[in-house]
Amino acid sequence: MTVRLRPTLTTLPAYVPGRSVPGAIKLASNETSLGPLPHVVRRITEVAGEANRYPDSFATELGSALAARFGVDPTQVVVGCGSVSLCQQLVLATAGEGDEVLFAWRSFEAYPIITTIDGATGVKVPLREDVHDLTAMAEAITDRTRLVFVCNPNNPTGTAVREAELRAFLDRVPPQVVIVLDEAYREYVIDPEVVDATTLLADYPNLIVLRTFSKAYGLAGLRVGYGIAADATLSNAVRQTQVPFAVTQIAQAAALACLEPPAEKELRQRVEDVTVERIRVTDELRAIGYAVPDSQANFVWLGNGPAEQGGIDALAFSTGCEDRGVIVRAFADSGVRVTVGLREENDAFLAAARALRARPVPADHQTDDTPDGF
């Protein structure tokens, strides 16, 4: 007997994580090259012995601490198994068959996957010069649109939209459409014109801001993120779609420790080190001859295109890097994302980039149409 599965699964792109190759430098997954913050490691060790107990299913203590930090009511805060889980919960809470979920493309790989799983229709709006085209996104909203994702800074390009343009877009979105500002890389933003979206909550009741402890805080392996909604009705709906006990006790304790003063001091230094390296890597790549957009995240982007215009062939470039002991993330149809790691890791990548720039890519090289993961 053959079991009956949903037809959607036959066309659903597979989740493909960034690869790890023994002995190679991994710059493919936007992780911090360092472990969790030292203060947080001590807290993890302290609570590990309590793993026999179920966690607080709604992470009440962590939610209250986040509410105090951002000056909102605890009912506006929802904690999830990484911000990607909250993305999926938001789709479940707002959209179904016949509804539309709108996002830029290329952007975070999870958006079309979670939309398709839920039975809704994903609407992709092309980037304009590697940045969200918010004017085109506003024009693409229809009476079927239920949810709009804006990834800022954008993954995988690292680009960010500034406050004036973002506010103009938010003003055009109908009040019944939920807007998700996905700020997974907010800690790395140094451009003063890129607004902290939590400051916009009072002005836009249909807005929810997502953050994560996976990136700057170094807790990718523990899976904990959070959302802050302008309206508690929305955060409560997200809680209703959550799997019970989704965030482990150790993850909650680690996230709480991240918010304490010793960890905050450690975080500031790490973020500064990454942003300094990001600027150095960008400048050197441009000096070599690559076209690299300004990044506000912990990675840089090299787009597909003619070599004389600074472009690359994503698959050829990523293969060339791997041959030289560096793993980067290739998106066959659009470009390569490279995490900013430690200085010595970045130097190894830059050496590979120099060697590949000196070696022309064959004009007849064919790209692979294999679906990209995230």
Side-chain angles (χ1 to χ4, degrees), residues 62-64 66-67 72-79 226-229 235 239:
L62 176 57
S64 295
L66 289 165
V72 299
D73 191 276
T75 60
Q76 295 174 251
V77 180
V78 58
V79 176
Y226 59 95
I228 306 174
S235 49
R239 273 188 286 273

Side-chain angles (χ1 to χ4, degrees), residues 116-244:
T116 302
I117 289 173
D118 190 45
T121 300
V123 178
K124 299 179 179 179
V125 178
L127 297 173
R128 176 172 43 85
E129 297 180 351
D130 297 319
V131 185
H132 278 65
D133 188 343
L134 294 182
T135 299
M137 289 181 70
E139 292 171 352
I141 294 173
T142 71
D143 58 3
R144 295 172 59 194
T145 306
R146 298 291 178 267
L147 190 72
V148 178
F149 283 110
V150 177
C151 189
N152 201 42
N154 185 47
N155 176 13
T157 60
T159 54
V161 293
R162 292 175 165 175
E163 181 173 6
E165 186 180 4
L166 182 59
R167 280 187 175 274
F169 168 73
L170 296 175
D171 288 339
R172 293 184 63 184
V173 177
Q176 70 272 18
V177 175
V178 173
I179 309 160
V180 184
L181 270 239
D182 188 347
E183 294 191 329
Y185 302 95
R186 174 64 207 179
E187 289 81 4
Y188 298 108
V189 173
I190 60 174
D191 184 344
E193 294 187 47
V194 178
V195 66
D196 177 341
T198 62
T199 65
L200 303 176
L201 292 168
D203 297 332
Y204 301 97
N206 53 339
L207 177 63
I208 182 168
V209 179
L210 302 186
R211 300 274 178 89
T212 183
F213 290 96
S214 294
K215 306 304 181 183
Y217 288 97
L219 297 184
L222 288 184
R223 315 304 305 128
V224 54
Y226 59 95
I228 306 174
D231 187 337
T233 302
L234 181 56
S235 49
N236 184 59
V238 176
R239 273 188 286 273
Q240 288 181 287
T241 59
Q242 181 172 302
V243 175

Side-chain angles (χ1 to χ4, degrees), residues 257-278:
C258 286
L259 302 177
E260 295 171 357
E264 284 296 308
K265 182 178 179 181
E266 295 164 355
L267 177 72
R268 284 194 297 272
Q269 185 59 57
R270 284 195 180 183
V271 168
E272 181 179 348
D273 291 344
V274 169
T275 54
V276 167
E277 277 295 286
R278 179 182 72 203

